[in-house]
Every structure is written in structure tokens, then in C-alpha cells.
Amino acid sequence: MTSIEEKNSILKEHDELEKEYNKLCNSNDLLTSKQWQEREERKKAILIRIDKLKAIENAWDSDVKEPDLNTVSLQMLTIKDVSQLLNCGRDQVRMYIEVGILHPIKTGKNYMFVPDDILEFQRTYKGLDMSNRKQALLNYHRLNEV
């Protein structure tokens, strides 16, 4: 059972995240491409966190055990979302799939990505040239040497 203090804390966090998300969406600031990308990444992170909080709030109204905050993440990304997050074209994202760098879930005709996988890609390949197939393969093999 969740205490009243915990519930209030979750509701307050949910409210603050929604306000921040709305502020980011309604901002008319002129941004560099890097700033825009960072803002888009923050918006995605906020939506993921709000989904987790909603799952907990929904569990309060049912007899279902409350989900763990660290395990609930149903938000998936499309190729378009990933290309925007990585600031590259959709063909580049498809190339990363073909090379074996990204591992999406195929749902019919579409590919869906787990946000944590994209964050892992960014951490793993930070500072490396991934601009074309040759460089991507070279870096992939360097990082995955046995």
C-alpha cells in the first residue's frame, strides 16, 4: 500500500513534468540544432516518466500490485523519432540497423525502438565518426572486438 505522502509526491512530480513539457512545447525560442535536439530529448524523457507515473496512479484504483518505477516503460520510438533524436536521416538509421548497431523490434512494416537502446547507442558511440556505412562498420568492429 502506498502512503499518502508517496501519492502526493508522485502527483506533484506528474504535475511539474506536465508543466515543463507544455513550456517546452510552447516555447518560441530560437535554438541551435544542438539545443533543439536536447530539448526534443528532454521532451521524450518527460513523456516516458509521465507514462511511468500514470501506470502507478492507475494501479491505485485497482487491486493490481503497483508497478516498479524502474521497470515500466512502454514508450517506443519510430525510425522518424530516432532520426530526429540522432539528428540524422532515416536512411542513416536504417543503415545502423543493417550494420547491426541498432536493434529495433519489427512490428509489421515498421521498426520500433526502445528509448534506452538509443541512449546506449549515444553513450557507446559518443565522439566517433558514424557518418557513413564504412565508418560505422569500422567503429562497430573496433568496439566489439573479441
Side-chain angles (χ1 to χ4, degrees), residues 98-116:
E98 292 168 8
V99 169
I101 294 171
L102 291 178
H103 306 283
I105 299 168
K106 182 125 169 107
T107 58
K109 294 181 179 180
N110 301 315
Y111 287 110
M112 300 302 288
F113 299 84
V114 177
D116 290 343

Side-chain angles (χ1 to χ4, degrees), residues 7-129:
K7 286 183 178 181
N8 286 338
S9 174
I10 289 170
L11 292 171
K12 181 179 178 187
E13 181 182 359
H14 186 163
D15 186 52
E16 289 172 355
L17 287 171
E18 284 188 352
K19 287 177 184 175
E20 181 182 356
Y21 182 80
N22 288 333
K23 183 178 177 183
L24 290 171
C25 287
N26 295 325
S27 172
N28 292 325
D29 297 338
L30 292 175
L31 304 173
T32 65
S33 62
K34 183 177 181 182
Q35 291 170 326
W36 179 84
Q37 182 180 0
E38 290 171 351
R39 182 177 68 186
E40 292 302 308
E41 287 174 11
R42 178 63 184 146
K43 285 168 48 179
K44 291 271 184 198
I46 289 171
L47 289 176
I48 291 168
R49 182 65 179 160
I50 287 174
D51 283 347
K52 290 178 182 181
L53 295 174
K54 282 181 181 178
I56 291 172
E57 292 167 16
N58 289 337
W60 295 339
D61 298 327
S62 67
D63 294 330
V64 178
K65 182 181 175 188
E66 292 180 14
D68 180 3
L69 273 175
N70 297 318
T71 60
V72 176
S73 179
L74 302 177
Q75 180 84 21
M76 299 290 284
L77 303 171
T78 64
I79 284 184
K80 180 181 177 184
D81 295 330
V82 172
S83 69
Q84 288 175 343
L85 286 171
L86 298 178
N87 199 24
C88 67
R90 294 177 192 174
D91 289 338
Q92 183 117 6
V93 174
R94 287 186 191 94
M95 182 267 296
Y96 293 150
I97 295 167
E98 292 168 8
V99 169
I101 294 171
L102 291 178
H103 306 283
I105 299 168
K106 182 125 169 107
T107 58
K109 294 181 179 180
N110 301 315
Y111 287 110
M112 300 302 288
F113 299 84
V114 177
D116 290 343
D117 292 346
I118 305 308
L119 291 173
E120 180 64 28
F121 166 82
Q122 289 176 318
R123 282 189 287 269
T124 302
Y125 293 94
K126 182 178 181 178
L128 299 176
D129 181 2

